[in-house]
């Protein structure tokens, strides 16, 4: 490599000395100065044109919002925001479900979105014509998730200690989630001092029938709601 | 040759270009013809493609028929009203297809408790999805000095560390202030997850539930961007039974969030970081902020 460069340099020098012999020292020096003078502006012009080309092509190639959101984005890259359907529609459920609407009117749960307890209304069976299916209803855990007494919960918020307030009973046995009002089970002041199992006497057709919406149940189920007062065990 | 005079040495240099296969003259000629051709060709190509394809939206390329620049979304969490029921977390996971576990979540609820001794206990069982009934406080009730539910989500910071560190520009801020993740560009390096001082980001695990259909990319709360760009409220705001989450346009002076931020004392989480969150908290206890 070094040898080659040396021989090239030798060639140049031989050419230069030939030029010197042929045109004279002054002419050679003048030509050289002219070349240097010409070369710099020419390089600048070429550079400017090249830069303008790059920027110009870039400006055409890039989309109109280049720089606004970083590098250009294609419609493909934003599809997740455009195509994702909403599940919670905040629909006008009460427009059709007038019974529930009437029940909640003026009640604490009136301000709730139906979808807060029922499932997202995207699961609703389409435009409502003909047979209407109920959305899956709420279950017990949906009551305590809000209304169980907990540290951290605002003190003025309606809440109960679930292990004290009719422990073991189902919320929906007494409470209607739409009206939020409770039908308080009757408290019993029983005539007998030592009680046999409730179902001994209280049967559908027995001594003292219980309401039709009750089913035969062990004592603890009965006593979960019907507090036995004085005279009871 | 060694006794050549010094005056010949400079001559060696200008002679060199003569040996180049393309002379300067040729190059300049080619440039003089080629550059206008390139520019002209580009212009013709552009004009043709503009004629044949749909025009690039000038206002907002993110969602059609939505002018991001016209909005400035704000969010207020009422820490006094929050009952910690977790309906918002469930709604978020349902609406956005977020994984159901605790670590991978866009929003979560913390119960922050400060003891009489001054220690702070933070609990968030299952991200608060199922409430806090099962989560007993590890201290006696008498030792609780203050306890509060604090709903957490992406703060959509004005000076966001996540967008700063993203090496590929996948996460970016829309004109309305919402920070989004372009899942087609994200390489899943996790820098943003680490950079976020609020822990609001996670990498989507491989599994059935993926918010954007892609696993291995960063994900976070988008203020339910697919909803708000259609004029709806975020899912968590919709379902909150006690209106502890409020969302609205700060450009609208009559919106609820504007009124709250104007009239009431709010605070942001970790203001000392200077991230300027867009999520503001009402009634956050001093000791729990």
């Amino acid at each position: 490599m070094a040898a080659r460069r040396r021989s090239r340099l030798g060639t140049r020098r031989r050419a230069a000395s030939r030029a010197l012999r042929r045109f004279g020292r002054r002419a050679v020096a003048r030509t050289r100065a002219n070349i240097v003078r010409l070369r710099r502006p020419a390089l600048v012009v070429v550079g400017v044109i090249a830069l303008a080309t790059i920027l110009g092509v870039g400006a055409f190639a890039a989309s109109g919002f280049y720089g606004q959101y970083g590098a250009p984005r294609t419609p493909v890259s934003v599809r997740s925001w455009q195509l994702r359907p909403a599940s919670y529609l905040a629909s006008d459920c009460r427009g059709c479900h007038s019974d529930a609407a009437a029940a909640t009117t003026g009640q604490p749960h009136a301000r709730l979105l139906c979808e807060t307890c029922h499932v997202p209304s995207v699961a609703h069976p389409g435009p409502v014509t003909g047979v209407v299916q109920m959305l899956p209803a709420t279950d017990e855990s949906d009551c305590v998730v809000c209304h169980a007494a907990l540290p951290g919960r605002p003190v003025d918020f309606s809440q109960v200690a679930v292990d004290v307030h009719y422990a073991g009973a189902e919320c929906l046995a007494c409470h209607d989630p739409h009206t939020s009002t409770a039908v308080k089970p009757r408290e019993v002041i029983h005539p007998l001092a030592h009680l046999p199992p409730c179902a001994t006497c209280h049967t559908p057709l027995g001594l003292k029938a219980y309401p039709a919406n009750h089913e035969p149940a062990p004592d603890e189920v009965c006593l979960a709601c019907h507090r036995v007062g004085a005279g009871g065990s | 040759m060694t006794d050549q005079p010094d005056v010949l040495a400079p001559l060696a240099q200008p002679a060199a270009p003569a040996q180049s296969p393309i002379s300067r003259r040729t190059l300049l000629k080619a440039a003089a013809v080629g550059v206008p051709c390139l520019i002209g060709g580009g212009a013709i190509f552009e004009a043709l493609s503009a004629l044949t394809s749909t025009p690039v939206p000038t206002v907002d390329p993110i969602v059609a028929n939505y002018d991001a620049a016209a909005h400035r979304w704000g969010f207020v969490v009422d820490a006094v009203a929050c009952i910690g029921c977790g309906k918002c977390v469930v709604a978020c996971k349902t609406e956005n297809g977020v994984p159901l576990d605790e670590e991978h979540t866009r929003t979560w609820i913390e119960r922050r408790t400060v003891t009489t001794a001054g220690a702070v206990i933070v609990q968030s069982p299952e991200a608060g999805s199922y409430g806090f009934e099962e989560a007993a406080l590890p201290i006696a009730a008498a030792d609780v000095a203050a306890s509060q539910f604090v709903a957490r989500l992406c703060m959509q910071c004005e000076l966001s560390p996540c967008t700063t560190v993203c090496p590929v520009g996948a996460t970016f801020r829309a004109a309305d202030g919402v920070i989004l993740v372009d899942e087609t560009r994200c390489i899943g390096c996790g820098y943003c997850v680490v950079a976020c001082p609020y822990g609001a980001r996670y990498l989507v695990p491989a599994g059935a539930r993926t918010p954007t259909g892609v696993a291995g990319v960063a994900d976070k709360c988008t203020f339910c961007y697919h909803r708000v760009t259609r004029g709806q409220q975020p899912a968590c705001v919709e379902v909150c039974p006690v209106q502890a989450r409020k969302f609205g346009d700060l450009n609208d002076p009559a919106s609820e969030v504007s009124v709250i931020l104007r009239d009431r004392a709010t605070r942001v989480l970790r203001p000392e970081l200077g991230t300027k969150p867009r999520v503001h908290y009402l009634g956050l206890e001093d000791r729990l902020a």
Side-chain angles (χ1 to χ4, degrees):
Chain A
M1 198 62 189
R4 196 178 153 197
R5 197 181 298 137
R6 230 181 351 262
S7 83
R8 243 182 102 184
L9 202 65
T11 314
R12 282 187 197 170
R13 284 192 176 187
R14 278 196 294 278
S17 71
R18 266 205 304 278
L20 199 67
R21 275 200 297 278
R22 199 168 157 193
F23 302 113
R25 183 175 169 170
R26 191 169 291 170
V28 169
R30 196 165 55 237
T31 308
R32 183 188 161 272
N34 282 343
I35 287 169
V36 170
R37 212 177 292 133
L38 186 93
R39 178 197 263 177
R40 290 221 176 101
L43 277 179
V44 169
V45 169
V46 169
V48 166
I49 290 172
L51 196 67
T53 310
I54 291 166
L55 290 179
V57 170
F60 281 123
S63 47
F65 52 92
Y66 186 86
Q68 191 182 353
Y69 296 117
R73 289 168 206 285
T74 62
V76 174
S77 69
V78 296
R79 69 187 185 280
S80 64
W81 305 304
Q82 291 177 333
L83 298 186
R84 171 166 282 282
S87 301
Y88 290 82
L89 303 177
S91 344
D92 179 25
C93 308
R94 290 170 167 93
C96 294
H97 297 276
S98 50
D99 50 340
T104 52
T105 304
Q107 299 295 331
H109 284 182
R111 63 180 180 174
L112 261 63
L113 191 73
C114 302
E115 294 163 302
T116 300
C117 302
H118 297 281
V119 300
S121 56
V122 74
H124 197 282
V128 187
T129 50
V131 180
V132 180
Q133 279 183 316
M134 268 294 286
L135 292 169
T138 177
D139 69 14
E140 293 284 313
S141 64
D142 270 347
C143 302
V144 296
V145 97
C146 292
H147 292 289
L150 288 180
R153 207 153 258 181
V155 286
D156 56 349
F157 184 76
S158 163
Q159 50 194 310
V160 293
V162 287
D163 50 350
V164 175
H165 177 83
Y166 294 102
E170 291 190 359
C171 309
L172 299 181
C174 302
H175 293 274
D176 179 340
H178 289 135
T179 62
S180 319
T181 51
V183 181
K184 202 175 179 188
R186 215 186 315 165
E187 197 166 281
V188 187
I189 300 177
H190 209 277
L192 295 182
H194 300 287
L195 290 172
C198 307
T200 310
C201 302
H202 299 283
T203 57
L205 299 168
L207 186 66
K208 197 164 187 181
Y210 48 69
N213 61 350
H214 281 38
E215 285 172 16
D219 276 11
E220 60 269 23
V221 173
C222 304
L223 297 175
C225 298
H226 298 284
R227 302 273 164 85
V228 179
S233 59
Chain B
M1 295 298 276
T2 49
D3 58 352
Q4 282 290 335
D6 268 347
V7 71
L8 287 182
L11 288 174
Q13 217 175 359
Q19 295 185 342
S20 171
I22 302 169
S23 73
R24 185 182 309 122
R25 185 173 293 269
T26 316
L27 182 74
L28 283 174
K29 276 183 187 168
V33 176
V35 169
C37 282
L38 268 176
I39 294 174
I44 291 165
F45 175 78
E46 179 70 11
L48 280 177
S49 58
L51 282 177
T52 51
S53 65
T54 51
V56 174
T58 51
V59 179
D60 189 87
I62 303 302
V63 179
N65 305 319
Y66 168 73
D67 183 2
H71 301 283
R72 193 159 57 91
W73 300 121
F75 203 102
V76 171
V77 176
D78 188 343
V80 172
C82 181
I83 58 171
C85 65
K87 293 287 187 188
C88 50
V89 183
V90 174
C92 174
K93 286 178 181 287
T94 307
E95 177 75 28
N96 295 298
V98 177
L100 295 174
D101 57 321
E102 182 175 325
E103 292 83 16
H104 309 104
T105 191
R106 289 186 173 191
T107 185
W108 68 102
I109 304 174
E110 289 170 355
R111 177 164 64 190
R112 298 184 175 186
T113 308
V114 61
T115 66
T116 46
V120 175
I121 301 163
V122 179
Q123 295 168 298
S124 185
E126 300 290 315
S129 299
Y130 311 108
F132 286 75
E133 214 205 338
E134 308 293 323
L137 270 177
I139 54 167
D143 292 333
V144 176
S147 187
Q148 210 168 28
F149 291 107
V150 181
R152 297 287 307 272
L153 65 160
C154 170
M155 300 285 136
Q156 316 285 2
C157 307
E158 281 176 48
L159 299 172
S160 44
C162 54
T163 54
T164 306
V165 301
C166 181
V168 293
T171 187
F172 64 102
R173 182 183 300 101
D176 50 21
V178 180
I179 293 169
L180 299 165
V181 182
D182 183 339
E183 78 273 9
T184 61
R185 187 158 295 196
C186 178
I187 56 171
C189 68
Y191 279 11
C192 58
V193 178
V194 182
C196 176
Y198 302 99
R201 287 172 167 261
Y202 67 97
L203 289 177
V204 179
R209 291 181 74 87
T210 48
T212 54
V214 188
V217 298
D219 190 58
K220 62 179 274 294
C221 165
T222 62
F223 278 171
C224 276
Y225 209 64
H226 62 293
R227 297 175 63 89
V228 302
T229 51
R230 297 170 193 156
Q232 296 167 313
Q233 296 266 301
C236 59
V237 176
E238 293 267 27
V239 301
C240 180
V242 292
Q243 284 77 47
R245 289 170 176 251
K246 301 162 199 299
F247 175 84
D249 194 346
L250 297 176
N251 279 348
D252 174 10
S255 71
E256 192 182 7
V257 288
S258 292
V259 171
I260 290 172
L261 292 185
R262 188 171 61 238
D263 295 349
R264 301 181 64 182
T266 57
R267 68 200 309 169
V268 297
L269 298 184
R270 305 195 68 182
E272 74 279 7
L273 296 174
T275 51
K276 297 194 175 178
R278 282 170 211 273
V279 178
H280 302 261
Y281 286 80
L282 259 180
L284 203 59
E285 282 252 358
D286 283 347
R287 292 167 292 184
L288 300 172

